[in-house]
Each structure stands twice: as structure tokens, then as C-alpha cells.
């Protein structure tokens, strides 16, 4: 087999037995309705902050947080089905430099939550973040993009903006 520029099905015949497998080449992005479905949640419940939709653009979501009194995470929570063959997530981030950690929560096909590091909030400005899922993740649903408080810091506050949240899907469109 010689890999080409397109997805292909590879078949092997041994005697009367035939086996085939789909081989994907490259990837493409699929837009997700994140801005429409995001809602604010904190861990420890009832924490300060908010999710503001249409925060400067139609696909922008502002996540404002104020860690203190035991609060350790602020979520832009959602529950969005991911396309088949999703291998990662990409989004634009307006970083506030607050030193928190941005993470992604997905749920796999057997209903297990998988939590993945996305980036550190250390570079104030817009940038694109790409999170590649480990092969064993088998993500089926996007559950949240969230911020963890900086390690060792009890009181912290900030605000980030997320836009253009997209699934990275294996293969060509």
C-alpha cells in the first residue's frame, strides 16, 4: 500500500478470507454550536463568574471567573455531540494572562469523562489552541472548556474569550 492524498479502503485477501480497513489521510475542522449552548458552572458550586454569549462576535463566549472560597474551576459547560472520527478540538482564545490552566472535558462512547490540558493562561492576546486527543480517548461529546485556578493560589480572577470552537476530524471532508 502506498499512501495517497485521499482517504482509502485497503483490503487484504488471504485465501478466501478478505479483511479491509479504512485509512484516513489528513484532517478537517467542523464547526460546533458551542456559543449557542455554553452555560456557566463552577466547581465548588455557586462560585462567582459568568458566561456571556456574543461577546464581541457571534461565535464568541466570554468566561469570567473569580476563584476564592474553595472554588477551583470555572466552566463554559455544554453537551455537544462530536462528529465521528474526531481526533481533537481547536478554538481561538483571548488569553488574559491570569496564569490559570485551560482544559477540555469530553465524554467518550462508554460515558467516561476524559479531561485534557489545552494551554496555560500566560500570553495575553488572541491565539489559536489545538488539543489533539490521545488515540484511546474515542471522544463522543464535548462537555466543557474550563479554567482551573493557578496552582497554589487561593484568590484569582480573570476573563477569557473563546471563539470558533471546532472539532478536528480525521480524513478529508
Amino acid at each position: 500500500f502506498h499512501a495517497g492524498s485521499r482517504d482509502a479502503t485497503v483490503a487484504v485477501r488471504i485465501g478466501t478470507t478478505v479483511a479491509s480497513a479504512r485509512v484516513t489521510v489528513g484532517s478537517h475542522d467542523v464547526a460546533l454550536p458551542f456559543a449557542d449552548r455554553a452555560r456557566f458552572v463552577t466547581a465548588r458550586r455557586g462560585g462567582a463568574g459568568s458566561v456571556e454569549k456574543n461577546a464581541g462576535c457571534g461565535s464568541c463566549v466570554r468566561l469570567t471567573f473569580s476563584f476564592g472560597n474553595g472554588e477551583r474551576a470555572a466552566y463554559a459547560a455544554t453537551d455537544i455531540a462530536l462528529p465521528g472520527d474526531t481526533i481533537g478540538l481547536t478554538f481561538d482564545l483571548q488569553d488574559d494572562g491570569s496564569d490559570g490552566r485551560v482544559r477540555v472535558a469530553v465524554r467518550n462512547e462508554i460515558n467516561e469523562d476524559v479531561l485534557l490540558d489545552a494551554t496555560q493562561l500566560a500570553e495575553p492576546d488572541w491565539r489559536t489552541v489545538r488539543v489533539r486527543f490521545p488515540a484511546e480517548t474515542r471522544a463522543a461529546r464535548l462537555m466543557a472548556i474550563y479554567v482551573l485556578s493557578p496552582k497554589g493560589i487561593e484568590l484569582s480572577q480573570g476573563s477569557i474569550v473563546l471563539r470558533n470552537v471546532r472539532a478536528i476530524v480525521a480524513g478529508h471532508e
Side-chain angles (χ1 to χ4, degrees):
F1 175 74
H2 176 51
S5 61
R6 298 266 180 220
D7 296 352
T9 299
V10 177
V12 175
R13 178 185 305 267
I14 299 176
T16 59
T17 304
V18 177
S20 64
R22 181 171 167 247
V23 177
T24 56
V25 177
S27 65
H28 64 281
D29 294 350
V30 175
L32 299 174
F34 183 81
D36 297 335
R37 299 188 189 169
R39 65 190 186 290
F40 183 71
V41 177
T42 60
R44 184 164 155 180
R45 289 185 185 198
S50 64
V51 162
E52 175 191 347
K53 299 174 184 180
N54 299 319
C57 72
S59 71
C60 292
V61 173
R62 180 179 310 280
L63 174 59
T64 302
F65 50 91
S66 182
F67 298 126
N69 199 25
E71 183 181 350
R72 63 185 183 277
Y75 298 79
T78 188
D79 186 356
I80 299 171
L82 294 171
D85 294 329
T86 294
I87 59 172
L89 195 71
T90 184
F91 53 89
D92 298 330
L93 168 71
Q94 187 177 35
D95 185 334
D96 68 353
S98 65
D99 204 35
R101 290 181 295 147
V102 177
R103 300 192 83 201
V104 172
V106 295
R107 186 161 289 154
N108 68 16
E109 57 195 15
I110 60 170
N111 219 26
E112 296 172 322
D113 289 331
V114 180
L115 311 175
L116 301 159
D117 288 325
T119 190
Q120 187 82 24
L121 295 173
E123 305 169 29
D125 205 353
W126 281 102
R127 62 190 154 112
T128 299
V129 176
R130 294 178 72 82
V131 181
R132 290 289 184 149
F133 301 158
E136 65 276 7
T137 302
R138 302 180 65 90
R141 304 193 72 74
L142 173 61
M143 303 309 294
I145 299 175
Y146 64 103
V147 176
L148 286 176
S149 62
K151 290 183 178 183
I153 297 176
E154 286 293 316
L155 300 174
S156 174
Q157 60 184 6
S159 177
I160 63 171
V161 178
L162 305 161
R163 72 177 177 204
N164 299 327
V165 177
R166 301 171 306 283
I168 304 169
V169 180
H172 291 284
E173 292 183 72

